Amino acid sequence: MSTMTHKEELPHGLPFLGNSMLFLGLGILALSLTGTEWLPFHMPRSWYQSPSIWKLLALCMTGGGIAILKQVSSTEMRDRERKRQLPPKEDWMPEEPGQRFETLLVYTKENCPLCEEAAEILEDYAAYLPEIEFVDIYSDPGLIEQFGTCVPVVAIDGKIRFRGRINEVLLRRLIVASPVTIAPAASSGCGCNKQSCGCKRQKSSIDSNSESTSQSAGCGGQCKCA
């Protein structure tokens, strides 16, 4: 698959399409029952010659609209349930700390709320991702043709992973399943790898013998992991 969110995200116009099909289908059924004499215009000739075809069309449109709206409702319910089950960012971390992947490109454009949302989500996982490189699609006509209707588009190591919106569940799965490419630098902190940990060990000054020593002064009350 070209994206990781293809099964999770529905096209933005799908609810409108479902409502339109349902409205038109019910409207045609109503006209077939009440007649069209009161209308200020004439229906197509096929309306009078083949009324059964119009009724069948109305039934299909009504059923299709109901099916689409049901799918939209089901997807929205799953998304809400997934968000409730998603652990807070500060409480989540992979077993192995360190950066995954080599490149992280985000194709974006101006005045794009979803692009800003994607940037915020990726920054929350900066400890496990390479530096973000933002590319304005209007800088290249080819990018406009390729991504003009689906920004933001997130490409990791040259492979498109997300379009339109980042699914954090899938992003976390991708991080966990990918090998570490750059191990975290040695830290003088408490050793915790949580993103929210602010623990910093303090270093002592030079002792009376003028020998530089370093000793642990604890977390200084700054550690959020306790």
Side-chain angles (χ1 to χ4, degrees):
M1 293 178 58
S2 59
T3 68
M4 294 185 64
T5 57
H6 181 70
K7 292 185 178 180
E8 303 294 334
E9 298 292 337
L10 293 173
H12 297 298
L14 203 57
F16 175 77
L17 176 62
N19 284 310
S20 299
M21 291 179 63
L22 180 61
F23 176 78
L24 289 175
L26 292 176
I28 294 174
L29 285 175
L31 288 176
S32 66
L33 295 175
T34 62
T36 60
E37 293 79 7
W38 55 275
L39 292 176
F41 56 86
H42 294 288
M43 296 293 288
R45 181 177 300 179
S46 59
W47 174 267
Y48 306 100
Q49 294 178 343
S50 306
S52 58
I53 294 179
W54 281 89
K55 291 179 180 179
L56 179 61
L57 176 63
L59 290 173
C60 291
M61 293 183 67
T62 302
I66 293 174
I68 291 175
L69 293 177
K70 185 176 180 180
Q71 181 183 4
V72 171
S73 176
S74 176
T75 301
E76 291 177 348
M77 290 180 62
R78 288 198 304 269
D79 288 342
R80 287 194 294 267
E81 182 66 22
R82 187 181 298 111
K83 289 180 180 179
R84 285 197 296 267
Q85 296 176 353
L86 190 67
K89 295 182 181 69
E90 59 271 15
D91 294 334
W92 179 88
M93 59 176 291
E95 292 184 1
E96 296 185 24
Q99 176 184 310
R100 278 79 167 161
F101 319 114
E102 299 293 338
T103 61
L104 175 57
L105 296 179
V106 179
Y107 296 95
T108 180
K109 65 179 181 180
E110 294 183 358
N111 301 321
C112 174
L114 286 179
C115 299
E116 297 175 1
E117 176 186 301
E120 292 177 358
I121 292 176
L122 292 174
E123 288 173 359
D124 288 335
Y125 297 90
Y128 315 112
L129 300 172
E131 183 178 357
I132 306 173
E133 181 179 351
F134 295 95
V135 180
D136 190 339
I137 62 172
Y138 286 101
S139 64
D140 186 342
L143 294 178
I144 297 177
E145 182 178 356
Q146 187 176 5
F147 302 129
T149 60
C150 56
V151 291
V153 175
V154 179
I156 301 177
D157 285 351
K159 183 176 182 180
I160 295 176
R161 295 291 185 175
F162 301 96
R163 293 177 186 264
R165 178 173 278 116
I166 294 178
N167 185 308
E168 285 194 61
V169 173
L170 297 182
L171 177 60
R172 292 182 180 185
R173 291 177 183 174
L174 182 62
I175 291 174
V176 171
S178 301
V180 175
T181 56
I182 300 179
S187 172
S188 60
C190 67
C192 176
N193 295 314
K194 288 187 178 180
Q195 294 169 278
S196 61
C197 180
C199 173
K200 296 180 180 179
R201 293 183 183 272
Q202 301 175 350
K203 295 184 178 180
S204 64
S205 59
I206 300 176
D207 62 11
S208 58
N209 294 325
S210 298
E211 294 180 355
S212 178
T213 61
S214 175
Q215 63 183 14
S216 171
C219 293
Q222 300 181 24
C223 185
K224 301 178 182 179
C225 304

